[in-house]
Amino acid sequence: MKTLITNTLILPMTGEGHTIRGDIGIDGNQIVFVGKGDPAFGADRIIDGSRHLTMPSLVNAHTHLAMVLMRNFKDGLPTLQAWLDEIFPIEDTLTAEDIYIACRLGIAELIQSGVTTFCDMYFHPSATIQAVSESGIRANLGLTLFGDGESSRKRIAERQAELLAARCHPSGRITLSVAPHAIYTCTTETYQIAHRWAADHDALLHTHLSETKEEVDRCRASYGLTPLSYLRSIGVTDSVKCLFAHGVHLTDGEVDLLGDLDCAIVHNPSSNLKLNCGIAPVASYRRRGLTVALGTDGASSNNNLNMVEELHLASLLGRLGSSLSAYEAVSMATIDGARALGLQDRIGTLESGKEADLIMVGLDKAHLTPLNDPISAIAYSAQSSDVDTVICQGKILMENRRLTGYDIDELIATTNARWAAILQR
Ligand SMILES: [Zn+2]
């Protein structure tokens, strides 16, 4: 299948201030040209892009997708720990079927805000694998670990075969991580088991890090070290790529240390505000050379998976006391998200040879008029409802706001019925 998007305003995310008016050619799952069209291309499908801005689709680099089930549930608690104390008992009752139903709704919600790649940490990966495989979306899925070494070895024995098989999916849409939840829920041995698994399987190591001041204080009290220094001391950061969610309370020394590692920070501003964790100074991290991606965290601490809204919030918070530019904010949601997941050679920019993951943003809106600066428009003005068309690997997942793979009414009814049943357990 060859697709041609014509006469569109292209924001390729290959350099600040760089926009092009032109065509984009897609052959199969790949972009074959950007800007100047090829008269011999012979498109099977032509999309008029003249009233759209076309840019890379968004990367949600940290979420717990199935937590859509617990949206707007047990809100208003004062601390992360108080909230987790309410959430963990519910999670203990969830089945693979529950997770599958939740993931389908979550994927639809992601697509509606222009996301075609997400990085997940949750239970029952077989259910998430099934939902992702059916969807056409791209995911990094975590082998999630909690507790001591014995429970981690058991979980790996139960789950690794299905995850390793998923990575071999012919589409190449599924990549892997091992995801020890956090320092306060995992033992030293669990982190070391996770590190070994990441090294053996060339996977990311994805964990929550320095989300709250309380976490940092408890780590100092338990181990005499800050969280990153502790992970470093037990070998977790050696020779594997790490993805650290949050990083709200990093010391200057830790930021220096991160600069020497193969790693990225994922900024989750909505969740950090809602759970009273603080504001990660990500503009400063970027100035010091760190890769910073953007995520929604789970819908139960956000309370949605709207990456356009997350980008808007990150753009505004980045202006507080520092100077995050609109281009940097959009980079965090696109190419830097791809970089954080090790996918920067495949997605994150619009260039010939990359896979065709892109979105078309409708420009005929009062709040986008006059357009003046397209990057500012995306960072500060755009709404998720402006994302008209979403393409992943050349396949259209949403066209003119209509999801091609899902009946949204069916997803809503099924999820509501399942949540009511969960509450009766
Ligand atoms: Zn999280």
Side-chain angles (χ1 to χ4, degrees):
M1 168 71 83
K2 289 184 176 180
T3 302
L4 180 66
I5 302 172
T6 60
N7 190 27
T8 189
L9 178 61
I10 304 165
L11 189 58
M13 295 307 296
T14 51
E16 188 152 9
H18 184 46
T19 56
I20 316 162
R21 171 68 68 177
D23 298 347
I24 298 174
I26 301 168
D27 189 352
N29 68 359
Q30 284 212 323
I31 298 171
V32 291
F33 58 81
V34 175
K36 193 170 185 314
D38 175 359
F41 183 58
D44 303 299
R45 174 175 57 197
I46 296 175
I47 301 173
D48 176 11
S50 60
R51 298 307 309 154
H52 286 85
L53 178 152
T54 303
M55 62 179 284
S57 51
L58 306 184
V59 177
N60 185 346
H62 175 71
T63 190
H64 314 278
L65 193 67
M67 290 186 86
V68 294
L69 287 170
M70 287 159 278
R71 196 195 309 269
N72 304 321
F73 179 71
K74 301 290 182 182
D75 279 341
L77 293 165
T79 66
L80 171 67
Q81 192 58 52
W83 177 73
L84 289 173
D85 289 345
E86 295 286 347
I87 295 295
F88 283 161
I90 294 276
E91 289 185 326
D92 287 342
T93 74
L94 297 180
T95 66
E97 182 71 14
D98 299 332
I99 304 292
Y100 173 70
I101 288 168
C103 285
R104 292 180 79 226
L105 181 84
I107 289 169
E109 188 181 354
L110 289 173
I111 294 169
Q112 286 179 324
S113 71
V115 173
T116 59
T117 300
F118 71 100
C119 181
D120 197 52
M121 177 195 293
Y122 214 58
F123 313 105
H124 295 295
S126 59
T128 313
I129 289 166
Q130 185 182 346
V132 169
S133 299
E134 293 168 358
S135 70
I137 201 171
R138 197 185 291 272
N140 179 289
L141 302 181
L143 202 173
T144 303
L145 304 179
F146 273 85
D148 62 12
E150 186 181 344
S151 55
S152 295
R153 277 189 289 273
K154 183 166 177 281
R155 206 178 284 263
I156 287 172
E158 289 170 354
R159 304 295 188 209
Q160 68 173 353
E162 62 205 19
L163 280 159
L164 293 171
R167 179 158 66 178
C168 299
H169 192 280
S171 68
R173 285 188 281 112
I174 297 176
T175 52
L176 299 188
S177 50
V178 60
H181 175 261
I183 286 169
Y184 54 88
T185 52
C186 296
T187 63
T188 298
E189 188 184 12
T190 283
Y191 268 103
Q192 290 173 328
I193 290 169
H195 173 261
R196 202 172 312 127
W197 198 88
D200 287 349
H201 298 285
D202 192 25
L204 288 178
L205 191 144
H206 178 195
T207 192
H208 295 97
L209 184 81
S210 296
E211 181 174 2
T212 65
K213 184 171 180 308
E214 182 190 18
E215 173 193 333
V216 176
D217 291 344
R218 281 168 61 184
C219 187
R220 283 187 196 273
S222 299
Y223 304 109
L225 295 166
T226 56
L228 182 66
S229 298
Y230 160 65
L231 292 182
R232 177 106 199 207
S233 75
I234 60 172
V236 168
T237 58
D238 295 347
S239 307
V240 301
K241 186 176 177 67
C242 294
L243 189 66
F244 296 122
H246 302 296
V248 178
H249 298 279
L250 297 171
T251 65
D252 271 357
E254 285 180 306
V255 178
D256 286 341
L257 187 55
L258 287 167
D260 294 331
L261 302 177
D262 182 7
C263 70
I265 297 286
V266 189
H267 185 34
N268 301 267
S270 295
S271 174
N272 294 156
L273 291 171
K274 181 162 178 285
L275 295 176
N276 191 27
C277 300
I279 301 170
V282 294
S284 156
Y285 297 166
R286 291 180 58 89
R287 297 286 174 275
R288 294 169 69 175
L290 304 189
T291 298
V292 181
L294 192 62
T296 59
D297 213 347
S300 56
S301 63
N302 185 300
N303 287 355
N304 59 43
L305 302 175
N306 182 340
M307 273 292 288
V308 174
E309 185 174 271
E310 207 68 32
L311 168 57
H312 189 185
L313 182 58
S315 302
L316 296 177
L317 288 176
R319 305 301 300 168
L320 270 180
S322 60
S323 55
L324 190 78
S325 71
Y327 188 79
E328 287 179 299
V330 179
S331 296
M332 284 162 49
T334 54
I335 181 59
D336 289 340
R339 189 170 286 119
L341 302 183
L343 295 173
Q344 68 274 14
D345 295 334
R346 297 174 61 186
I347 60 168
T349 57
L350 299 187
E351 296 178 86
S352 172
K354 281 207 168 177
E355 293 181 38
D357 289 18
L358 53 86
I359 58 177
M360 298 178 68
V361 178
L363 297 175
D364 288 334
K365 309 286 166 63
H367 60 270
L368 296 176
T369 304
L371 187 63
N372 288 322
D373 182 338
I375 274 283
S376 284
I378 296 300
Y380 303 125
S381 305
Q383 307 292 307
S384 63
S385 54
D386 301 333
V387 178
D388 284 341
T389 294
V390 176
I391 295 176
C392 184
Q393 286 193 323
K395 182 179 172 198
I396 297 179
L397 305 184
M398 184 168 77
E399 187 166 26
N400 299 321
R401 296 298 297 167
R402 189 184 66 81
L403 293 165
T404 58
Y406 296 104
D407 174 346
I408 196 71
D409 292 335
E410 181 268 318
L411 295 181
I412 291 168
T414 305
T415 306
N416 278 330
R418 180 56 62 124
W419 178 241
I422 291 167
L423 289 177
Q424 296 300 315
R425 287 177 187 159

